[in-house]
Amino acid sequence: MNEFERLKFVIVGHVDHGKSTLIGRLLYDTNSLKKEKIREVEQKSGELGRDTEFAFVMDSFKEEQDQGITIDTAQVFFQTAKRKYVIIDAPGHVEFVKNMVTGAAQAEAALLIIDAEEGVQQQTKRHAYILHLLGLKQVIVVVNKMDLVTYSQERFEEIRGEIQTFLKSVGVEPLMYIPISAKNGDNIVAVSTSLSWYDGLTVCDALDSLKCRKPITDKPLVLPVQDVYKISSKRITAGKIAEGKISAGQPIIVLPEGQKTVVKSVEKFLENVTACSAGESAGFTTNDPLFIERGNVVCSEDTKTAVRSTFKAHVFWLAKIEFEIDYKLLFRCATQESLCQIVKIEHKIDSSTLERIDGHAKKLKNLEVAEIVVKTDKPLVISTFNEIEELGRFVFEINGNLCAGGIIIDMAN
Amino acid sequence: MDRLSELENQSIFIIREGYNRFHKVAQLWSIGKDSTTLLWLIRKAFYGQIPFPVLHLDTGRKFKEIYEFRDKYAKEWKLNLIIHKNQEAIGRGITCNPNNALECCGELKTNALKQAIEKHKFRALYLGIRRDEHGIRAKERVFSPRNENFHWDYKAQPLEMWDHYKAQAENEEHLRIHPLLGWTELDIWEYIRRENIPVTSLYFAVNGKRYRSIGCEPACVPVDSQADTIDKIIDELKTTTVAERAGRAQDKESSYMMQKLRSLGYM
Amino acid sequence: MQIKTFVLGIDGVPYTFLQKQFAKGAMPNLKSICEKNGFQQMNSVFPTISAVAWATYMAGVNPARHNIMGFIDRIPNPFEITINTGSGRKAESIWEALSKKGQRVIVINVPMTYPPLPVNGILVSGFLCPDIARVSYPADFSRYLQDKGYCIDVDAQIAHESRLTFIQQLQHVMKNRFDIAFDLIREREWDFFQMVIMETDRLYHFFWDDLEDGHEYSGQVQTFFEQLDEKIGILLDKLPRNSRVLFLSDHGFCRLNSEVQVNNWLEQTGLLKFSADGKKNLQNYAPETVCYSLLPGRIFLNLKGREERGTIKKEEYGSVRNYVKDVLASFKNPQTGENIFARIFDREEIYEGPYLESAADIIVHPSRGYDLKSRVGEGDIFNKCFMNGMHTYSDAFISGINLDVSTVKTIADIKNILTA
């Protein structure tokens, strides 16, 4: 058991394809449930005249049990012999895509679940596309309810073919495809005898084969400034290091202005340190009394970023409120903020069919994806998502509420 | 980076976000292990000089150890400690009563908190809740809005992605900030051990009983336990939360292993 | 520069066996090491079985602090026999402790290290790992091993089919393991390197008679030890001069005269009962049962509140346990009158720590030559078996170069020296 690791993964897919049942099963089969909880679930299932309904393990809210759908993202903890896990259960219903994104944005890996009987559905595709937009690289496809299709290899291959084609077109390459029945426990922890034609890993082993996200310490420094504190006589600049390291004596450049100075000291409370690296909430002082403020990005000379106010992005609209092209929006990227305008909608993409629609649209509606050109009021320190994740992803905010997320794909000059 | 350091750094990030966004903030300190861990992280975030008050809601019926602990560390850590009592309710004779928790907790905690928020004009509060505490908390947000009646509208929760949280409290709303949301009870104890964070003696077993959580004296029931040190508490949690089977071969492996053991006469 | 440490574990090699080898001039490399650096007899652990012995070695604490009590275990309620894996270990291993200090470690083939848990370096798990694809941390290191023809373990089933093939495979796998270690010593950066040779245990189990009495395969067995010694010689050449090197075995060996089916005997005494209708196996023991045994020599009382069909009341625990011990002490070989159990312990006599509850209530250690088994319902109490060697407690060995092992009395004492 690796005590030091905890992998976060999200389970996504169309409503009713069995996410909650899979989670219940995982908890049950790995003995992560307390006896009282098992009794409670069995009792509830009995009252409703059903076999043990593993989905009830997850359902802490009454509404959900009655309607049989998950409305919000929820997190539960379990462990295998190898390590600890956090499962993020994301709702499958189209109404709750916003909640699904909240869950999936925190994950290091994803299971995409598909009902063997119903096959690939609208939300299956939309969720797969969101995984791509969120930059999730570790994806496992599970084909559930194999018991309903007599454990047919042919049906499994058919679904695999269909989703594979779709995933390929959005740039997602799953690590593996696993036929399961969450209800009966086939290929969850124990190898299924009903699926003897399948010789790959079980869900549990597949999870154990995933890698935890590691802080990027070996690239040049990126430190978005969160705040500046005056502590005794020192001015300490604070922020969480996105990439690279910061150490005393290191030359740094403060963007977007580009002031140069040298790190005088690295500060941690009650600790004597000379360096901090990616993932750490760090603090430091500088040799020169520079004016540094929230929204600045501290870099080293060789950090591959740029100061821009116009760029191209993919955006995923996640608010009931419809957006019209001349609205002012608040753009937030790392700790930077600026009012901005979407100056052009290149095209929209139907997130469930991937069709390009509306060449010259002026509006964005809930759940639509678009390729857009953004112009910010202030020049900002940005990057493409592929280069520096932290400076290549952003959210839009209207009236204090986040309404969209996106990634920068091209930095126009 | 190990799990505890990752949790610590993320919590400090959230704490600093909260203060930067709202300034008029306070931490709710129950003196229990979670909120003391939170306080420890807040001290780290601000290098020991916490720029906002720490709020203790006093129901008047807490253990004496809690008061002693509070006063000792408020002094040692130079806290700006605000102690708030619902004097009016206490005056009406409302007292902590486990048989009517709704009334006493409502008056002595919820209303006391409302009064304190109103009096000090707090816009956001730091709380030490964890997702693993209760099913309902599995769905909390890191920055979670409450309306003036403290109602939590869990059906319309804000989007949170990539460390971007709701950054404005709308009218008559305050935000609850939950830096420990992703921690488990075991994480808290392991971190307390690692950092040597002081906790009140009530958590340690005396004569086979200890408190697993700490609130008002009349409502607190100790659990059976022999754990009288942090190490033992951690061991106890590992064995109570980890099912009996952990550390044993799973079915599929075990048929192979049995065959092996049999060929060597071990079965 | 950090001084390197290499530990070679050679499973089951008795101190007295090496004495004899050295006396007749065999195994010159190990002989010269032992002569120059000190060579000691060492105690193993109760029960004397590799799973517990190596777990005790790596954790440096007694079983009630690391929680590995045998290869197999039981869940008392509902009753189920399970197999232990390394993830059940509750105390930090030598390599985990060193990893935390930032030392780079390579660990190969230590029993009870499956599943392979992360270290700062490489860990190749050993006995009972079911699949080479899952043998290592990091997982993709198994490809390197597969390319080099690495074999986790020789299948002991082969010994039942062809003893000659078995011994040849043992020789091959032992040599291959050393060769891969030699490559890693050169190719990788490391501070601590641990390897266990398991093949010796198999040899002694299946060929003790050949060794002692010059039977059919004694030449082949002797060749194995000469090859092992040659590899030890090469190993020393490959390590920097100032390295700390430790050689040890986890237990000793002696001739196995008879297997003893403890459960069959318990049934005969009336302490273990089966219901008349069901099949005779431990899952079906009757509620009137007083105790049952898991291998080797672990006796569990049928305690109420703990066991599925427990009937012994808590307040009677002490008196019942004493009674059972009296009965155990009366167990003699009917032919010779010899005691079967040389030592009978209450668990708290030999164990101490938070996992004491997982241990058997009584642990018995056999007289020389009686190997304690736990078959149920079939066959006799005493039987001859295919194997002819069995483990001993007090005859393991230890020898260290640039390491003072004079304070080591039992296998639990080593970790301190290596992690100090």
Side-chain angles (χ1 to χ4, degrees), chain A residues 1-29:
Chain A
M1 169 84 189
N2 184 348
E3 294 278 344
F4 312 114
E5 276 187 356
R6 181 180 287 153
L7 187 119
K8 275 189 175 181
F9 68 95
V10 64
I11 305 189
V12 297
H14 197 76
V15 63
D16 273 345
H17 281 197
K19 288 183 291 289
S20 296
T21 310
L22 173 57
I23 294 171
R25 220 353 137 168
L26 271 172
L27 294 174
Y28 188 81
D29 286 3

PDB file of all heavy atoms in Angstrom, chain A residues 1-29:
ATOM      1  N   MET A   1       0.851  -1.195   0.000  1.00  0.00           N
ATOM      2  CA  MET A   1       0.000   0.000   0.000  1.00  0.00           C
ATOM      3  C   MET A   1       0.876   1.230   0.000  1.00  0.00           C
ATOM      4  O   MET A   1       1.714   1.407   0.872  1.00  0.00           O
ATOM      5  CB  MET A   1      -0.830  -0.033   1.275  1.00  0.00           C
ATOM      6  CG  MET A   1      -1.559   1.240   1.542  1.00  0.00           C
ATOM      7  SD  MET A   1      -3.095   1.249   0.650  1.00  0.00           S
ATOM      8  CE  MET A   1      -3.566   2.910   0.937  1.00  0.00           C
ATOM      9  N   ASN A   2       0.709   2.052  -0.994  1.00  0.00           N
ATOM     10  CA  ASN A   2       1.474   3.282  -0.999  1.00  0.00           C
ATOM     11  C   ASN A   2       0.727   4.339  -0.203  1.00  0.00           C
ATOM     12  O   ASN A   2      -0.281   4.871  -0.632  1.00  0.00           O
ATOM     13  CB  ASN A   2       1.685   3.755  -2.429  1.00  0.00           C
ATOM     14  CG  ASN A   2       2.556   4.989  -2.466  1.00  0.00           C
ATOM     15  OD1 ASN A   2       2.825   5.610  -1.434  1.00  0.00           O
ATOM     16  ND2 ASN A   2       2.994   5.357  -3.633  1.00  0.00           N
ATOM     17  N   GLU A   3       1.274   4.647   0.953  1.00  0.00           N
ATOM     18  CA  GLU A   3       0.609   5.586   1.851  1.00  0.00           C
ATOM     19  C   GLU A   3       0.692   7.019   1.328  1.00  0.00           C
ATOM     20  O   GLU A   3      -0.021   7.890   1.773  1.00  0.00           O
ATOM     21  CB  GLU A   3       1.280   5.540   3.234  1.00  0.00           C
ATOM     22  CG  GLU A   3       1.106   4.228   3.949  1.00  0.00           C
ATOM     23  CD  GLU A   3      -0.228   4.135   4.653  1.00  0.00           C
ATOM     24  OE1 GLU A   3      -0.873   5.188   4.828  1.00  0.00           O
ATOM     25  OE2 GLU A   3      -0.625   3.017   5.000  1.00  0.00           O
ATOM     26  N   PHE A   4       1.616   7.261   0.424  1.00  0.00           N
ATOM     27  CA  PHE A   4       1.892   8.647   0.046  1.00  0.00           C
ATOM     28  C   PHE A   4       1.039   9.124  -1.117  1.00  0.00           C
ATOM     29  O   PHE A   4       0.981  10.293  -1.408  1.00  0.00           O
ATOM     30  CB  PHE A   4       3.372   8.810  -0.303  1.00  0.00           C
ATOM     31  CG  PHE A   4       4.275   8.199   0.718  1.00  0.00           C
ATOM     32  CD1 PHE A   4       5.075   7.117   0.419  1.00  0.00           C
ATOM     33  CD2 PHE A   4       4.298   8.699   2.015  1.00  0.00           C
ATOM     34  CE1 PHE A   4       5.882   6.544   1.372  1.00  0.00           C
ATOM     35  CE2 PHE A   4       5.102   8.134   2.980  1.00  0.00           C
ATOM     36  CZ  PHE A   4       5.905   7.054   2.654  1.00  0.00           C
ATOM     37  N   GLU A   5       0.407   8.195  -1.810  1.00  0.00           N
ATOM     38  CA  GLU A   5      -0.301   8.566  -3.022  1.00  0.00           C
ATOM     39  C   GLU A   5      -1.801   8.536  -2.825  1.00  0.00           C
ATOM     40  O   GLU A   5      -2.326   7.721  -2.087  1.00  0.00           O
ATOM     41  CB  GLU A   5      -0.013   7.537  -4.124  1.00  0.00           C
ATOM     42  CG  GLU A   5       1.242   7.773  -4.873  1.00  0.00           C
ATOM     43  CD  GLU A   5       1.346   6.822  -6.051  1.00  0.00           C
ATOM     44  OE1 GLU A   5       0.484   5.942  -6.237  1.00  0.00           O
ATOM     45  OE2 GLU A   5       2.297   6.982  -6.798  1.00  0.00           O
ATOM     46  N   ARG A   6      -2.478   9.427  -3.551  1.00  0.00           N
ATOM     47  CA  ARG A   6      -3.928   9.315  -3.616  1.00  0.00           C
ATOM     48  C   ARG A   6      -4.341   9.771  -5.005  1.00  0.00           C
ATOM     49  O   ARG A   6      -4.166  10.924  -5.349  1.00  0.00           O
ATOM     50  CB  ARG A   6      -4.589  10.157  -2.525  1.00  0.00           C
ATOM     51  CG  ARG A   6      -6.099  10.028  -2.579  1.00  0.00           C
ATOM     52  CD  ARG A   6      -6.760  10.845  -1.504  1.00  0.00           C
ATOM     53  NE  ARG A   6      -6.598  10.273  -0.204  1.00  0.00           N
ATOM     54  CZ  ARG A   6      -6.602  10.979   0.920  1.00  0.00           C
ATOM     55  NH1 ARG A   6      -6.721  12.281   0.875  1.00  0.00           N
ATOM     56  NH2 ARG A   6      -6.472  10.387   2.076  1.00  0.00           N
ATOM     57  N   LEU A   7      -4.855   8.854  -5.792  1.00  0.00           N
ATOM     58  CA  LEU A   7      -5.210   9.193  -7.169  1.00  0.00           C
ATOM     59  C   LEU A   7      -6.676   9.605  -7.236  1.00  0.00           C
ATOM     60  O   LEU A   7      -7.540   8.936  -6.689  1.00  0.00           O
ATOM     61  CB  LEU A   7      -4.950   7.996  -8.083  1.00  0.00           C
ATOM     62  CG  LEU A   7      -5.140   8.296  -9.563  1.00  0.00           C
ATOM     63  CD1 LEU A   7      -3.831   8.084 -10.308  1.00  0.00           C
ATOM     64  CD2 LEU A   7      -6.216   7.450 -10.197  1.00  0.00           C
ATOM     65  N   LYS A   8      -6.901  10.729  -7.930  1.00  0.00           N
ATOM     66  CA  LYS A   8      -8.280  11.213  -8.100  1.00  0.00           C
ATOM     67  C   LYS A   8      -8.754  10.847  -9.487  1.00  0.00           C
ATOM     68  O   LYS A   8      -8.111  11.221 -10.465  1.00  0.00           O
ATOM     69  CB  LYS A   8      -8.293  12.743  -8.016  1.00  0.00           C
ATOM     70  CG  LYS A   8      -8.371  13.308  -6.650  1.00  0.00           C
ATOM     71  CD  LYS A   8      -8.605  14.802  -6.751  1.00  0.00           C
ATOM     72  CE  LYS A   8      -8.815  15.397  -5.375  1.00  0.00           C
ATOM     73  NZ  LYS A   8      -9.058  16.831  -5.446  1.00  0.00           N
ATOM     74  N   PHE A   9      -9.855  10.128  -9.578  1.00  0.00           N
ATOM     75  CA  PHE A   9     -10.389   9.883 -10.916  1.00  0.00           C
ATOM     76  C   PHE A   9     -11.884  10.138 -10.947  1.00  0.00           C
ATOM     77  O   PHE A   9     -12.578  10.067  -9.934  1.00  0.00           O
ATOM     78  CB  PHE A   9     -10.055   8.477 -11.406  1.00  0.00           C
ATOM     79  CG  PHE A   9     -10.752   7.372 -10.672  1.00  0.00           C
ATOM     80  CD1 PHE A   9     -11.945   6.834 -11.157  1.00  0.00           C
ATOM     81  CD2 PHE A   9     -10.227   6.846  -9.504  1.00  0.00           C
ATOM     82  CE1 PHE A   9     -12.595   5.806 -10.489  1.00  0.00           C
ATOM     83  CE2 PHE A   9     -10.869   5.825  -8.829  1.00  0.00           C
ATOM     84  CZ  PHE A   9     -12.053   5.297  -9.317  1.00  0.00           C
ATOM     85  N   VAL A  10     -12.364  10.456 -12.145  1.00  0.00           N
ATOM     86  CA  VAL A  10     -13.766  10.800 -12.305  1.00  0.00           C
ATOM     87  C   VAL A  10     -14.429   9.713 -13.138  1.00  0.00           C
ATOM     88  O   VAL A  10     -13.781   9.105 -14.001  1.00  0.00           O
ATOM     89  CB  VAL A  10     -13.907  12.193 -12.966  1.00  0.00           C
ATOM     90  CG1 VAL A  10     -13.357  12.202 -14.381  1.00  0.00           C
ATOM     91  CG2 VAL A  10     -15.347  12.679 -12.943  1.00  0.00           C
ATOM     92  N   ILE A  11     -15.690   9.442 -12.843  1.00  0.00           N
ATOM     93  CA  ILE A  11     -16.443   8.515 -13.675  1.00  0.00           C
ATOM     94  C   ILE A  11     -17.488   9.323 -14.433  1.00  0.00           C
ATOM     95  O   ILE A  11     -18.304  10.006 -13.821  1.00  0.00           O
ATOM     96  CB  ILE A  11     -17.109   7.412 -12.832  1.00  0.00           C
ATOM     97  CG1 ILE A  11     -16.023   6.713 -11.994  1.00  0.00           C
ATOM     98  CG2 ILE A  11     -17.827   6.413 -13.717  1.00  0.00           C
ATOM     99  CD1 ILE A  11     -16.485   5.476 -11.279  1.00  0.00           C
ATOM    100  N   VAL A  12     -17.419   9.276 -15.753  1.00  0.00           N
ATOM    101  CA  VAL A  12     -18.354  10.064 -16.557  1.00  0.00           C
ATOM    102  C   VAL A  12     -19.068   9.158 -17.544  1.00  0.00           C
ATOM    103  O   VAL A  12     -18.652   8.024 -17.781  1.00  0.00           O
ATOM    104  CB  VAL A  12     -17.622  11.201 -17.321  1.00  0.00           C
ATOM    105  CG1 VAL A  12     -16.985  12.186 -16.363  1.00  0.00           C
ATOM    106  CG2 VAL A  12     -16.570  10.632 -18.275  1.00  0.00           C
ATOM    107  N   GLY A  13     -20.127   9.682 -18.137  1.00  0.00           N
ATOM    108  CA  GLY A  13     -20.886   8.922 -19.120  1.00  0.00           C
ATOM    109  C   GLY A  13     -22.339   9.350 -19.111  1.00  0.00           C
ATOM    110  O   GLY A  13     -22.744  10.197 -18.298  1.00  0.00           O
ATOM    111  N   HIS A  14     -23.106   8.755 -19.994  1.00  0.00           N
ATOM    112  CA  HIS A  14     -24.505   9.125 -20.146  1.00  0.00           C
ATOM    113  C   HIS A  14     -25.302   8.743 -18.893  1.00  0.00           C
ATOM    114  O   HIS A  14     -24.948   7.811 -18.188  1.00  0.00           O
ATOM    115  CB  HIS A  14     -25.074   8.403 -21.369  1.00  0.00           C
ATOM    116  CG  HIS A  14     -26.356   8.983 -21.869  1.00  0.00           C
ATOM    117  ND1 HIS A  14     -26.401  10.150 -22.598  1.00  0.00           N
ATOM    118  CD2 HIS A  14     -27.642   8.569 -21.757  1.00  0.00           C
ATOM    119  CE1 HIS A  14     -27.650  10.417 -22.913  1.00  0.00           C
ATOM    120  NE2 HIS A  14     -28.434   9.474 -22.412  1.00  0.00           N
ATOM    121  N   VAL A  15     -26.383   9.469 -18.663  1.00  0.00           N
ATOM    122  CA  VAL A  15     -27.220   9.191 -17.506  1.00  0.00           C
ATOM    123  C   VAL A  15     -27.725   7.743 -17.574  1.00  0.00           C
ATOM    124  O   VAL A  15     -27.997   7.218 -18.657  1.00  0.00           O
ATOM    125  CB  VAL A  15     -28.399  10.200 -17.450  1.00  0.00           C
ATOM    126  CG1 VAL A  15     -29.322  10.067 -18.646  1.00  0.00           C
ATOM    127  CG2 VAL A  15     -29.175  10.065 -16.153  1.00  0.00           C
ATOM    128  N   ASP A  16     -27.779   7.093 -16.422  1.00  0.00           N
ATOM    129  CA  ASP A  16     -28.277   5.714 -16.320  1.00  0.00           C
ATOM    130  C   ASP A  16     -27.370   4.637 -16.909  1.00  0.00           C
ATOM    131  O   ASP A  16     -27.781   3.491 -17.029  1.00  0.00           O
ATOM    132  CB  ASP A  16     -29.665   5.561 -16.987  1.00  0.00           C
ATOM    133  CG  ASP A  16     -30.763   5.898 -15.995  1.00  0.00           C
ATOM    134  OD1 ASP A  16     -30.451   5.955 -14.790  1.00  0.00           O
ATOM    135  OD2 ASP A  16     -31.909   6.105 -16.427  1.00  0.00           O
ATOM    136  N   HIS A  17     -26.174   4.997 -17.302  1.00  0.00           N
ATOM    137  CA  HIS A  17     -25.284   3.954 -17.811  1.00  0.00           C
ATOM    138  C   HIS A  17     -24.556   3.227 -16.682  1.00  0.00           C
ATOM    139  O   HIS A  17     -23.811   2.297 -16.934  1.00  0.00           O
ATOM    140  CB  HIS A  17     -24.309   4.519 -18.850  1.00  0.00           C
ATOM    141  CG  HIS A  17     -24.961   4.695 -20.193  1.00  0.00           C
ATOM    142  ND1 HIS A  17     -24.243   4.852 -21.356  1.00  0.00           N
ATOM    143  CD2 HIS A  17     -26.273   4.737 -20.537  1.00  0.00           C
ATOM    144  CE1 HIS A  17     -25.098   4.988 -22.377  1.00  0.00           C
ATOM    145  NE2 HIS A  17     -26.327   4.923 -21.908  1.00  0.00           N
ATOM    146  N   GLY A  18     -24.789   3.687 -15.442  1.00  0.00           N
ATOM    147  CA  GLY A  18     -24.341   2.866 -14.310  1.00  0.00           C
ATOM    148  C   GLY A  18     -23.151   3.379 -13.531  1.00  0.00           C
ATOM    149  O   GLY A  18     -22.423   2.600 -12.911  1.00  0.00           O
ATOM    150  N   LYS A  19     -22.946   4.700 -13.504  1.00  0.00           N
ATOM    151  CA  LYS A  19     -21.796   5.241 -12.779  1.00  0.00           C
ATOM    152  C   LYS A  19     -21.882   4.947 -11.285  1.00  0.00           C
ATOM    153  O   LYS A  19     -20.941   4.448 -10.687  1.00  0.00           O
ATOM    154  CB  LYS A  19     -21.711   6.761 -12.987  1.00  0.00           C
ATOM    155  CG  LYS A  19     -21.275   7.144 -14.374  1.00  0.00           C
ATOM    156  CD  LYS A  19     -21.145   8.649 -14.513  1.00  0.00           C
ATOM    157  CE  LYS A  19     -22.480   9.342 -14.459  1.00  0.00           C
ATOM    158  NZ  LYS A  19     -23.291   9.103 -15.650  1.00  0.00           N
ATOM    159  N   SER A  20     -23.026   5.287 -10.713  1.00  0.00           N
ATOM    160  CA  SER A  20     -23.146   5.109  -9.261  1.00  0.00           C
ATOM    161  C   SER A  20     -23.058   3.633  -8.887  1.00  0.00           C
ATOM    162  O   SER A  20     -22.497   3.281  -7.858  1.00  0.00           O
ATOM    163  CB  SER A  20     -24.478   5.680  -8.764  1.00  0.00           C
ATOM    164  OG  SER A  20     -24.500   7.067  -8.989  1.00  0.00           O
ATOM    165  N   THR A  21     -23.608   2.769  -9.727  1.00  0.00           N
ATOM    166  CA  THR A  21     -23.536   1.333  -9.444  1.00  0.00           C
ATOM    167  C   THR A  21     -22.087   0.863  -9.476  1.00  0.00           C
ATOM    168  O   THR A  21     -21.644   0.105  -8.620  1.00  0.00           O
ATOM    169  CB  THR A  21     -24.365   0.553 -10.479  1.00  0.00           C
ATOM    170  OG1 THR A  21     -25.645   1.148 -10.561  1.00  0.00           O
ATOM    171  CG2 THR A  21     -24.499  -0.902 -10.100  1.00  0.00           C
ATOM    172  N   LEU A  22     -21.343   1.367 -10.451  1.00  0.00           N
ATOM    173  CA  LEU A  22     -19.926   0.985 -10.544  1.00  0.00           C
ATOM    174  C   LEU A  22     -19.171   1.428  -9.291  1.00  0.00           C
ATOM    175  O   LEU A  22     -18.374   0.680  -8.733  1.00  0.00           O
ATOM    176  CB  LEU A  22     -19.303   1.609 -11.804  1.00  0.00           C
ATOM    177  CG  LEU A  22     -17.793   1.446 -11.961  1.00  0.00           C
ATOM    178  CD1 LEU A  22     -17.386  -0.031 -11.941  1.00  0.00           C
ATOM    179  CD2 LEU A  22     -17.305   2.093 -13.250  1.00  0.00           C
ATOM    180  N   ILE A  23     -19.461   2.642  -8.841  1.00  0.00           N
ATOM    181  CA  ILE A  23     -18.776   3.136  -7.642  1.00  0.00           C
ATOM    182  C   ILE A  23     -19.148   2.292  -6.428  1.00  0.00           C
ATOM    183  O   ILE A  23     -18.288   1.872  -5.651  1.00  0.00           O
ATOM    184  CB  ILE A  23     -19.117   4.617  -7.392  1.00  0.00           C
ATOM    185  CG1 ILE A  23     -18.538   5.464  -8.518  1.00  0.00           C
ATOM    186  CG2 ILE A  23     -18.558   5.070  -6.048  1.00  0.00           C
ATOM    187  CD1 ILE A  23     -18.983   6.901  -8.490  1.00  0.00           C
ATOM    188  N   GLY A  24     -20.454   2.016  -6.301  1.00  0.00           N
ATOM    189  CA  GLY A  24     -20.901   1.177  -5.187  1.00  0.00           C
ATOM    190  C   GLY A  24     -20.184  -0.160  -5.206  1.00  0.00           C
ATOM    191  O   GLY A  24     -19.728  -0.668  -4.183  1.00  0.00           O
ATOM    192  N   ARG A  25     -20.076  -0.727  -6.379  1.00  0.00           N
ATOM    193  CA  ARG A  25     -19.417  -2.015  -6.554  1.00  0.00           C
ATOM    194  C   ARG A  25     -17.933  -1.951  -6.166  1.00  0.00           C
ATOM    195  O   ARG A  25     -17.410  -2.818  -5.469  1.00  0.00           O
ATOM    196  CB  ARG A  25     -19.530  -2.372  -8.026  1.00  0.00           C
ATOM    197  CG  ARG A  25     -19.820  -3.777  -8.454  1.00  0.00           C
ATOM    198  CD  ARG A  25     -19.842  -4.840  -7.476  1.00  0.00           C
ATOM    199  NE  ARG A  25     -20.976  -5.697  -7.748  1.00  0.00           N
ATOM    200  CZ  ARG A  25     -21.144  -6.883  -7.183  1.00  0.00           C
ATOM    201  NH1 ARG A  25     -20.299  -7.339  -6.282  1.00  0.00           N
ATOM    202  NH2 ARG A  25     -22.192  -7.590  -7.473  1.00  0.00           N
ATOM    203  N   LEU A  26     -17.279  -0.904  -6.637  1.00  0.00           N
ATOM    204  CA  LEU A  26     -15.851  -0.762  -6.324  1.00  0.00           C
ATOM    205  C   LEU A  26     -15.643  -0.702  -4.810  1.00  0.00           C
ATOM    206  O   LEU A  26     -14.757  -1.346  -4.268  1.00  0.00           O
ATOM    207  CB  LEU A  26     -15.302   0.516  -6.963  1.00  0.00           C
ATOM    208  CG  LEU A  26     -14.756   0.393  -8.389  1.00  0.00           C
ATOM    209  CD1 LEU A  26     -14.437   1.783  -8.940  1.00  0.00           C
ATOM    210  CD2 LEU A  26     -13.503  -0.482  -8.433  1.00  0.00           C
ATOM    211  N   LEU A  27     -16.491   0.080  -4.154  1.00  0.00           N
ATOM    212  CA  LEU A  27     -16.361   0.212  -2.703  1.00  0.00           C
ATOM    213  C   LEU A  27     -16.653  -1.115  -2.018  1.00  0.00           C
ATOM    214  O   LEU A  27     -15.955  -1.540  -1.103  1.00  0.00           O
ATOM    215  CB  LEU A  27     -17.325   1.281  -2.172  1.00  0.00           C
ATOM    216  CG  LEU A  27     -17.046   2.703  -2.625  1.00  0.00           C
ATOM    217  CD1 LEU A  27     -18.142   3.637  -2.155  1.00  0.00           C
ATOM    218  CD2 LEU A  27     -15.722   3.187  -2.066  1.00  0.00           C
ATOM    219  N   TYR A  28     -17.698  -1.769  -2.502  1.00  0.00           N
ATOM    220  CA  TYR A  28     -18.121  -3.029  -1.883  1.00  0.00           C
ATOM    221  C   TYR A  28     -17.066  -4.108  -2.080  1.00  0.00           C
ATOM    222  O   TYR A  28     -16.645  -4.769  -1.137  1.00  0.00           O
ATOM    223  CB  TYR A  28     -19.442  -3.449  -2.528  1.00  0.00           C
ATOM    224  CG  TYR A  28     -20.118  -4.635  -1.891  1.00  0.00           C
ATOM    225  CD1 TYR A  28     -20.882  -4.490  -0.743  1.00  0.00           C
ATOM    226  CD2 TYR A  28     -20.001  -5.903  -2.460  1.00  0.00           C
ATOM    227  CE1 TYR A  28     -21.511  -5.573  -0.167  1.00  0.00           C
ATOM    228  CE2 TYR A  28     -20.633  -6.992  -1.891  1.00  0.00           C
ATOM    229  CZ  TYR A  28     -21.391  -6.823  -0.737  1.00  0.00           C
ATOM    230  OH  TYR A  28     -22.007  -7.893  -0.174  1.00  0.00           O
ATOM    231  N   ASP A  29     -16.614  -4.268  -3.309  1.00  0.00           N
ATOM    232  CA  ASP A  29     -15.683  -5.362  -3.616  1.00  0.00           C
ATOM    233  C   ASP A  29     -14.280  -5.124  -3.077  1.00  0.00           C
ATOM    234  O   ASP A  29     -13.497  -6.056  -2.955  1.00  0.00           O
ATOM    235  CB  ASP A  29     -15.621  -5.607  -5.129  1.00  0.00           C
ATOM    236  CG  ASP A  29     -16.872  -6.314  -5.639  1.00  0.00           C
ATOM    237  OD1 ASP A  29     -17.787  -6.545  -4.824  1.00  0.00           O
ATOM    238  OD2 ASP A  29     -16.935  -6.632  -6.839  1.00  0.00           O
TER     239      ASP A  29
END
